[in-house]
Amino acid sequence: MNSTVDSNNLREEVRAWLTQNVPQDWRQAMTGTDQDAFVKAQRDWFNKLVAAGYATPHWPEGWPGGGRSLADQKIIYEETARADAPRLILFFVALYHSACTLMEWGTQEQKEKYLPGILKGEIWCQGFSEPNAGSDLASVKTRAELKGDRYVINGQKTWSTMAQYADKCLLLTRTGKSEPPQGGLTYLLLDMKAKGVSVRPISQITGDDEFAEIFFDDVEVLVEDRVGKDGEGWAVAQSTLSSERGLTLVELTQRMRYSLAKVAEVMRERGRASDPAIRKELGALIAKVNASCALADQYLLKRISGTEAAGDASIVKLNYARTLREFTKLGMSISGLQGQYFEDFTRGGSQETGNWTVDFMNSYNWSIAGGSDEIQRNIIAERMLLMPREPKNWQLS
């Protein structure tokens, strides 16, 4: 049986499973609900995906559903987007950031200690960003002082997704002074139930509390829970951040493409389906969305063939963030005043829920999360176009 037939069979298999298992009316159930109900729904959906082998197709062979090729993983993500299944927001860090970091950098003991727990539903958060160290992770100041067989941690992290529910944390700390400053960072695995850890959810303008601040007051982490060597945290963190690229962007761009129907539906509801100006805007948006999908597909093909270059992921991410902004802006514009009314948001959805005001505000997240638009442009300019780096201490005259 050739690979094309195999791929077709896999697509049919995944599509049939999703038809039977995606929770019916999950969007309605998750609209206006509280976090506890959301967490329960996420756990139920996670357990189904793990049992079917669709939660970890990117894990190595030997794990449930693991060992699949990137091409097969792409099919699973495309079909998940097509079925409008809930996104595993609560388990995203565990399944990708934590697992992929441990598989690349972790010791055998760390893999045996932590990976099975992820499949059992342990929630992980990411402790990277700080009040004065967002996209510029080299400015991290949370301090980890080595005392005997453990590190003692003091400091603060912010914008940590779902940290209030997390069992474990991927923690980037400063253990020494270095020039460049990246050399003084160390990567640790932290128990969120450890003494001295406190979490404070951040209330957003949408009414959500997706993010949280984490405070560390003489928190202890054993040396055996360090990933990589002391001072090697920057390199480990880059692996963590790159783990979500590719397949995630394929899924998100495909979700946006399938959601174009929502824009057309609003046009009909508002009696603007024949408005030539709006039809022109929609046509331009369709072209941009299709281009985003093509860029994501091209990027994944480069990863499959081993021809990925530095900056390729930045192009896809930057393009997606800009297109998503235009997508939600058009939906809000077509909806008129009604589209600006406050409505309860949908937990576990993507950025194209049809609640246009919330979607538009949330679209700005993608201009920052995973590296701001400015950072992506710098990467493209410096690593792909080989333009000179900005001087460190420049100032306007």
Side-chain angles (χ1 to χ4, degrees), residues 47-97:
N47 290 334
K48 282 187 176 182
L49 287 169
V50 169
Y54 296 143
T56 51
H58 57 294
W59 287 28
E61 189 173 357
W63 297 97
R68 290 189 183 274
S69 67
L70 274 173
D72 284 351
Q73 294 174 48
K74 179 175 182 286
I75 289 172
I76 293 172
Y77 279 79
E78 286 176 340
E79 289 303 314
T80 300
R82 181 182 182 276
D84 189 31
R87 294 191 66 214
L88 281 176
I89 295 172
L90 192 63
F91 296 95
F92 186 84
V93 172
L95 289 171
Y96 291 90
H97 295 185

Side-chain angles (χ1 to χ4, degrees), residues 159-180:
W159 305 119
S160 183
T161 303
M162 298 292 175
Q164 63 268 48
Y165 298 103
D167 301 295
K168 310 292 181 185
C169 177
L170 301 172
L171 185 63
L172 190 62
T173 66
R174 181 160 299 285
T175 51
K177 295 181 180 179
S178 173
E179 187 59 41

